Amino acid sequence: MTLHRPLRLLLLSTSVGALGSGLGGGVELTLHNIAKALVSRQHTVKIVAPEGSVCDAAPVVEIEGALQTTAQSEGREAPISMPGQAVLANMWTYARQIQDEYDLLVNFAYDWLPFYLTSFFDCPIAHLVSMGSLTDAMDGVIGQTIAQFPDSIGVHSRAQADTFAFGAQCHVLGNGFDLSLYDFCSQPERSLAWVGRLAPEKGLEDAVAAAQATQIPLKIWGVMQDHAYWQEIQQRYPMAPISYEGFLPTAQLQKALGKCQALIMTPHWVEAFGNVAIEALACGVPVIAYRRGGPTEIVQHGRTGWLVEPDDIVGLIDAIAHLEGIDRHTCRQQAEAEYSLEAMGDRLEQWFTTVLAQSGR
Ligand code: HBI
């Protein structure tokens, strides 16, 4: 499905880190890929992001100011907070000033302000919500936005949508990747992979426990968000054959990830989607994941990986023992069928069409 006309789109990034720093987590790659998909379909795209941001998919307007604290590190009753000179406020001041030059604004920040401002803007705003329900304040403001603008909320998975009371009204978009950047690897080495921010909600310790039990080397990639957490894991599992391989850009990550027998996903929270699962499948790497959140809708149990009961480490070990039952070509084929930039571009245009129709534009 293609839109009848090219759109002028302003993408407003996450406020917790510069694009390319890794601090924005999955949403950095999501924004980059969405920009690429839209530009390839002849839309005009500009990105607004914190200073220091880098993105080769579209021009970036860098905005100065203090970064937001990460929402997942606050409690459910956390008050709405912004630092003085907040980059988030400065980004939306800029958006207000130039909104007449655009057909649609797309918000990627999981923060109160952009949702609250929706009704104050003349230009329609589409919000891509990148995590499940975390705080009452965010649930409230997203709920108000969807009540006033029914099609304005996009999410990555049905499981993520279902963490919200208004989940049924969310547009489920999945995600999209430039699969030409991922090389299929048919002959893996004897190693397992874990990829993600090193932080408690990601449950790294469970994958380490499985590595210690199987003595299969576990390679760990991702931004080192919580050093104490990493130290604690190493002390708790001294016999685990693990190595921290750093935070790599996509080109290097996919080359190394592709050599692994499987990606292990052990989220302790409702992972909204699981970008790394698609990156693994794109390289032919089966995914072993807890049956929790987005990966549940990605992994085809017994075909492209194994779904394990949440927090069941013995289940992880059993799934690792049954990897030869998974055909690595099937993994790559699933990525191509469902998660390419083209497939995501179709879903985005369908979503934008409903948002614009509702705004009368
Ligand atoms: N926290 N306050 C806040 N704002 C964000 O945009 C944000 C976040 N935490 C994590 C995050 N974004 C991304 O890592 C996820 O959306 C993927």
Side-chain angles (χ1 to χ4, degrees):
M1 167 180 179
T2 52
L3 275 176
H4 309 305
R5 59 188 166 94
L7 296 175
R8 299 164 299 163
L9 301 165
L10 189 67
L11 310 185
L12 290 113
S13 178
T14 178
S15 52
V16 293
L19 290 175
S21 70
L23 290 174
V27 76
E28 287 185 36
L29 185 58
T30 298
L31 190 153
H32 180 268
N33 291 340
I34 285 178
K36 220 171 185 178
L38 295 168
V39 167
S40 70
R41 300 165 89 105
Q42 316 308 322
H43 298 297
T44 304
V45 176
K46 185 174 279 189
I47 297 167
V48 180
E51 63 190 341
S53 290
V54 174
C55 182
D56 61 9
V60 177
V61 177
E62 295 179 57
I63 304 290
E64 63 188 17
L67 297 175
Q68 289 292 112
T69 52
T70 58
Q72 69 269 30
S73 58
E74 298 176 330
R76 175 149 285 284
E77 290 77 27
I80 296 152
S81 72
M82 288 175 69
Q85 293 310 313
V87 65
L88 183 65
N90 295 339
M91 285 165 63
W92 284 87
T93 297
Y94 174 79
R96 179 174 53 78
Q97 289 160 349
I98 59 159
Q99 60 179 308
D100 296 343
E101 299 168 29
Y102 291 91
D103 300 304
L104 181 69
L105 309 186
V106 187
N107 168 48
F108 289 78
Y110 192 95
D111 289 284
W112 181 85
L113 184 67
F115 294 91
Y116 180 72
L117 289 177
T118 308
S119 62
F120 291 80
F121 273 66
D122 299 323
C123 185
I125 303 176
H127 299 276
L128 180 53
V129 174
S130 57
M131 295 185 282
S133 169
L134 283 176
T135 66
D136 295 340
M138 282 303 291
D139 288 9
V141 76
I142 300 172
Q144 284 160 11
T145 306
I146 209 167
Q148 202 171 347
F149 304 97
D151 290 299
S152 64
I153 306 299
V155 293
H156 288 297
S157 71
R158 174 51 53 203
Q160 176 200 354
D162 290 347
T163 64
F164 297 106
F166 46 77
Q169 300 170 67
C170 297
H171 285 255
V172 177
L173 298 164
N175 215 342
F177 297 78
D178 180 350
L179 299 176
S180 70
L181 302 178
Y182 298 85
D183 303 314
F184 176 74
C185 169
S186 59
Q187 297 301 329
E189 297 166 354
R190 187 172 177 276
S191 63
L192 299 168
W194 190 94
V195 183
R197 285 178 293 108
L198 277 77
E201 67 269 15
K202 295 286 191 175
L204 173 57
E205 63 272 29
D206 295 3
V208 171
Q212 181 160 288
T214 59
Q215 284 301 301
I216 299 175
L218 176 70
K219 295 188 173 185
I220 298 160
W221 289 278
V223 76
M224 177 60 75
Q225 184 162 320
D226 186 330
H227 282 272
Y229 173 62
W230 172 234
Q231 293 306 326
E232 182 199 311
I233 288 175
Q234 294 176 87
Q235 282 148 22
R236 196 162 145 203
Y237 297 99
M239 306 308 292
I242 59 177
S243 64
Y244 175 56
E245 306 281 334
F247 171 67
L248 299 182
T250 299
Q252 286 88 321
L253 173 65
Q254 66 87 26
K255 206 85 195 130
L257 174 57
K259 295 188 181 107
C260 294
Q261 290 167 281
L263 172 72
I264 314 292
M265 294 189 76
T266 52
H268 283 175
W269 67 340
V270 175
E271 190 77 33
F273 186 65
N275 287 343
V276 293
I278 311 304
E279 296 185 287
L281 294 174
C283 299
V285 178
V287 177
I288 293 172
Y290 285 154
R291 196 183 296 274
R292 175 182 279 151
T296 309
E297 297 165 42
I298 295 171
V299 179
Q300 296 173 358
H301 188 64
R303 287 191 76 247
T304 57
W306 299 107
L307 289 171
V308 171
E309 287 321 300
D311 312 322
D312 176 1
I313 291 167
V314 172
L316 291 177
I317 295 165
D318 184 48
I320 291 166
H322 290 86
L323 278 173
E324 73 286 344
I326 305 293
D327 177 347
R328 291 171 73 94
H329 287 89
T330 309
C331 298
R332 172 74 191 195
Q333 285 154 12
Q334 180 189 358
E336 288 171 354
E338 300 177 41
Y339 303 113
S340 65
L341 288 186
E342 295 72 27
M344 183 61 170
D346 284 343
R347 297 190 287 263
L348 286 167
E349 287 192 342
Q350 286 169 23
W351 179 35
F352 292 167
T353 301
T354 59
V355 177
L356 290 169
Q358 177 204 90
S359 71
R361 287 203 173 202

